[in-house]
Amino acid sequence: MKWQVMLLLLGLALAPAAGAQAAAPLSGTAEVLTNQLGALTRTSPRGAMETAQLFFRDGALRIHFRDNAGGQYALVLPEGASVGWIIGADGGSMPVPRMHWPLRFDADAPCTGLGMFADCQRVENGVYAGRNAVHWRYRLPNPTGPGMTRQGNMWLDAETGLVLSYEGRTGVGREQRWEVRRLRYVPQPAELFDPPPEATAR
């Protein structure tokens, strides 16, 4: 009988408190100015900054953009996936392999987990896109930084670690830029980041 009472007490100790819920995912939407979509939009001149709409939910992202002919598209990268998808307004889609687009780092130690030779130097604190932010200079052994860059500068939301801005270079020296203009942290439905139906048929 004593062991049954102990198990009951243990179960009560481990049970969540009444009304307790799992932490909500970090999610929201942002208006972004970037040159990182040029290969998809075929913008001219090359490297020009373009406006896009970002939707994010933890590690998943969806970016709405237009090409140089006015066509509307979405770039979708499900959480944990190595393949992204370009989805047209007509529902047609195309896979994009080797996708890696990190949008969140530890605001106090962004080099954590990025390799033995990763080097992050804190520059200053400030305000970016209306958020308290931290400015970092980084140099990484692999293109695992924001926008798949290896070195550059970035501003991180001091509270959430969300990337608010970066200006860096990839392993082949291509310059990538990203500037959040407006940001709202609001819930986003998980299905917004689902791959197209044909992805599961492959």
Side-chain angles (χ1 to χ4, degrees):
M1 186 68 178
K2 182 181 293 186
W3 64 268
Q4 290 175 320
V5 173
M6 291 178 65
L7 283 177
L8 177 62
L9 292 174
L10 179 61
L12 290 173
L14 295 178
Q21 297 179 351
L26 177 69
S27 62
T29 181
E31 180 184 308
V32 177
L33 195 62
T34 183
N35 70 347
Q36 199 167 342
L37 298 169
L40 305 175
T41 62
R42 301 184 297 280
T43 186
S44 181
R46 185 176 181 182
M49 300 288 278
E50 304 172 277
T51 301
Q53 190 71 26
L54 168 70
F55 302 86
F56 59 91
R57 190 176 194 270
D58 281 347
L61 64 82
R62 182 184 183 106
I63 303 175
H64 289 186
F65 64 93
R66 292 177 180 269
D67 67 7
N68 63 355
Q72 300 183 42
Y73 296 89
L75 169 61
V76 177
L77 182 60
E79 185 171 9
S82 59
V83 175
W85 293 87
I86 302 294
I87 304 174
D90 60 358
S93 64
M94 179 182 70
V96 184
R98 296 186 298 278
M99 282 295 296
H100 181 67
W101 203 316
L103 287 177
R104 192 179 185 188
F105 295 86
D106 184 332
D108 295 317
C111 273
T112 300
L114 297 183
M116 181 184 300
F117 300 105
D119 179 42
C120 289
Q121 301 292 325
R122 194 179 192 124
V123 180
E124 61 181 328
N125 295 342
V127 176
Y128 199 102
R131 302 286 301 179
N132 290 328
V134 187
H135 182 193
W136 288 90
R137 185 177 297 115
Y138 62 93
R139 184 181 295 272
L140 309 173
N142 299 299
T144 52
M148 298 173 283
T149 57
R150 294 187 64 163
Q151 59 180 331
N153 291 271
M154 62 181 171
W155 284 89
L156 303 178
D157 187 317
E159 182 179 347
T160 68
L162 187 75
V163 178
L164 301 175
S165 170
Y166 59 80
E167 184 172 349
R169 292 188 177 277
T170 64
V172 296
R174 185 181 301 114
E175 184 184 80
Q176 307 282 44
R177 294 176 61 193
W178 175 274
E179 301 173 9
V180 169
R181 294 302 180 89
R182 296 180 182 86
L183 169 67
R184 288 195 308 143
Y185 289 115
V186 290
Q188 300 293 330
E191 56 269 23
L192 185 65
F193 309 95
D194 286 344
E198 54 265 35
T200 58
R202 290 175 175 264

